[in-house]
Each structure stands twice: as C-alpha cells, then as structure tokens.
Amino acid sequence: MFDVLVYLYENYWRPDACPDHEQLTRKLSAVGFETDEIQEALSWLDGLTATTEMAQIRLPAQDSMRIYQPRELSLLGEDSVGFISFLESAGVLTPPLREMVIDRATAIGTGPLDLDDLKIIVLMVFWSLGEEPDALILDELFVAPEERLIH
C-alpha cells in the first residue's frame, strides 16, 4: 500500500489531480501494482479525505496537549510517537495536522508502525491539503539519517 501512496505523491501534485478511482485503478495496474494493494491504498485515501474534512470542522486548540490512548501507543510505537512530537515541536505539525496523521497511522491497524511508513503518512497528509512541507522537513522525511551529508 505504501508504494502506491508514494507513487501517487510523486506523480500527482494534489489529490484533485488524480483521476477517479476506476481510472486510477487501471493506471496503477498498468504500472504494475497488485489489485489488493491498489484497493487498500484507495480505501486509505478515502479515509484521508474524510479526516481532512473532519479536521476543518473541529480544530483542536493550538495550545492543546495530546495524550495517547494505549491502543494508539501500541499501533504507533515509540519511534512514531517521538517523530510526531518532534514535528510538532518544530512547528511543522499543527494540532489538526497531528490528529490527521494519528488517525491515518492508526487506520493501518497493525503496529508498531515503521517510522518510514509514518513519514509517508505525514507526506500524504500534506499532499491531501495541497501543501508541501519546507525543504528541511522534506529532507527529514525522505533521507535516511546515515545518508545525510554533514557540512
């Protein structure tokens, strides 16, 4: 599923640039993705659309504090919770964006979530809003720590 999401991120600038599900399924199949993988990704994206709409309706206060439920902690894992906290403290994730990331990460249903998969989810949340994180955050999301050049 995550490979499909990365493909969509790289090939469509915004969700509204994507064709309808039927046509998108044909395109993704033609590129070589499996039907199950495509359906899982499209279902996840439908959930992202619903989460985006809900986040605009009920916004947490900017100074809100997040307390994770035990189920969320087990699905996310320590690394993912730490990364979400890092993005929040860096001012990248606002409380509404944080909630969108947590919602879509826990929608995967298995845990603990791999940190690379969480990074894809963060990118997809920004993508769903037609936004792009700043260059330093994109570097954090795309480049493995051991591959970074220190100047």
Side-chain angles (χ1 to χ4, degrees), residues 90-150:
V92 175
L93 285 182
T94 61
L97 290 178
R98 175 197 64 214
E99 293 307 311
M100 291 174 66
V101 168
I102 293 169
D103 177 77
R104 293 292 76 212
T106 56
I108 302 301
T110 58
L113 186 65
D114 185 70
L115 186 56
D116 288 336
D117 293 342
L118 177 74
K119 290 177 179 183
I120 292 168
I121 291 169
V122 171
L123 282 173
M124 294 308 292
V125 166
F126 279 102
W127 178 80
S128 74
L129 299 168
E131 298 177 14
E132 186 171 308
D134 111 337
L136 292 175
I137 296 304
L138 278 174
D139 184 54
E140 183 67 35
L141 294 172
F142 277 121
V143 180
E146 62 273 4
E147 295 176 9
R148 287 200 179 98
L149 296 176
I150 300 175

Side-chain angles (χ1 to χ4, degrees), residues 41-98:
L42 293 179
S43 176
W44 187 89
L45 284 172
D46 288 341
L48 179 58
T49 301
T51 300
T52 302
E53 292 167 3
M54 288 302 287
Q56 294 169 356
I57 294 170
R58 51 181 180 127
L59 301 174
Q62 291 299 327
D63 61 347
S64 67
M65 183 173 95
R66 183 61 154 89
I67 308 233
Y68 292 89
Q69 297 176 4
R71 180 178 180 278
E72 291 172 327
L73 288 172
S74 69
L75 290 173
L76 292 171
E78 286 182 30
D79 291 342
S80 293
V81 170
F83 191 70
I84 290 169
S85 295
F86 160 71
L87 292 177
E88 225 182 330
S89 68
V92 175
L93 285 182
T94 61
L97 290 178
R98 175 197 64 214

